[in-house]
Amino acid sequence: MPLHLTKVAYGCDSVAYLRERIAVRAAEGAFVMTTRYLPKRHAEIAGGSLFWIVKHQLVGRTPILGFGEAES
C-alpha cells in the first residue's frame, strides 16, 4: 500500500490559483517538484499521492510518479 505526503501550497489563497500554478508548470513539460532530502521511505511513497493544503484544508491531490536524482 503506497504512502502519501502533504504539502502546504505556500502563497496560494485559493484552489483556483493552485490549479493555475500547477497547469502553468505542467504546460512546460513534466510537473517536477524538488525536495531538500529524499524521504527515507521513498520507495513506498512512489505510487502514492501528494495532498495539497490551502488555508488549513486538504484541497487537491497530485499523483507521485517517483523520485529521481537532482540535476546540477
Side-chain angles (χ1 to χ4, degrees):
M1 176 177 258
L3 298 177
H4 306 289
L5 295 174
T6 58
K7 179 166 180 59
V8 175
Y10 182 77
C12 290
D13 57 350
S14 68
V15 177
Y17 184 62
L18 174 62
R19 183 178 295 129
E20 180 183 327
R21 279 179 41 181
I22 292 173
V24 167
R25 289 184 61 186
E28 299 169 355
F31 178 61
V32 177
M33 296 201 44
T34 59
T35 61
R36 183 174 291 180
Y37 302 106
L38 182 67
K40 289 182 181 180
R41 296 174 70 180
H42 65 277
E44 296 174 76
I45 296 171
S49 297
L50 174 68
F51 289 93
W52 293 94
I53 300 171
V54 174
K55 294 186 179 179
H56 306 284
Q57 292 184 345
L58 293 174
V59 297
R61 182 183 71 85
T62 305
I64 299 173
L65 302 177
F67 293 88
E69 292 293 322
E71 296 178 17
S72 300

